[in-house]
Amino acid sequence: MRQILELDMIHSAIREKIAHNRREIVDEVQAEIGKSRIVVVGMAQNPHCRRARRILDMAGRNYAYLEFGSYLNNWR
């Protein structure tokens, strides 16, 4: 799990920008979490997400997969 800074460690001048950065993606993920028991969120070409989906498929588990960008597009 990725470490997240506490609010008091983030400079006040950028808190608002961080709070709304990519908000549409956060909203979409939260909506899917409300509908699906298992949600995999990833990027194209991400081997870890591909492996997780393969394991879930082999286990016969239903899941939602949301993909946002790739290593070469949107997330440099």
Side-chain angles (χ1 to χ4, degrees):
M1 181 132 220
R2 188 171 91 181
Q3 183 179 6
I4 305 295
L5 290 174
E6 297 295 327
L7 278 179
D8 62 341
M9 296 183 72
I10 299 171
H11 193 279
S12 60
I14 63 168
R15 281 188 199 144
E16 188 70 19
K17 184 172 179 77
I18 291 171
H20 298 291
N21 186 42
R22 307 260 187 198
R23 187 72 219 177
E24 68 284 354
I25 292 175
V26 173
D27 292 342
E28 185 175 347
V29 171
Q30 287 177 331
E32 193 60 51
I33 289 170
K35 295 186 291 186
S36 301
R37 185 176 169 105
I38 301 171
V39 179
V40 178
V41 179
M43 300 186 308
Q45 297 113 8
N46 185 310
H48 304 292
C49 296
R50 190 171 32 245
R51 186 175 318 125
R53 291 169 51 211
R54 188 172 53 242
I55 290 168
L56 290 165
D57 288 339
M58 288 172 35
R61 301 297 302 263
N62 291 326
Y63 63 93
Y65 175 61
L66 301 175
E67 185 174 281
F68 299 102
S70 72
Y71 288 113
L72 303 174
N73 182 18
N74 289 335
W75 299 104
R76 288 186 181 185

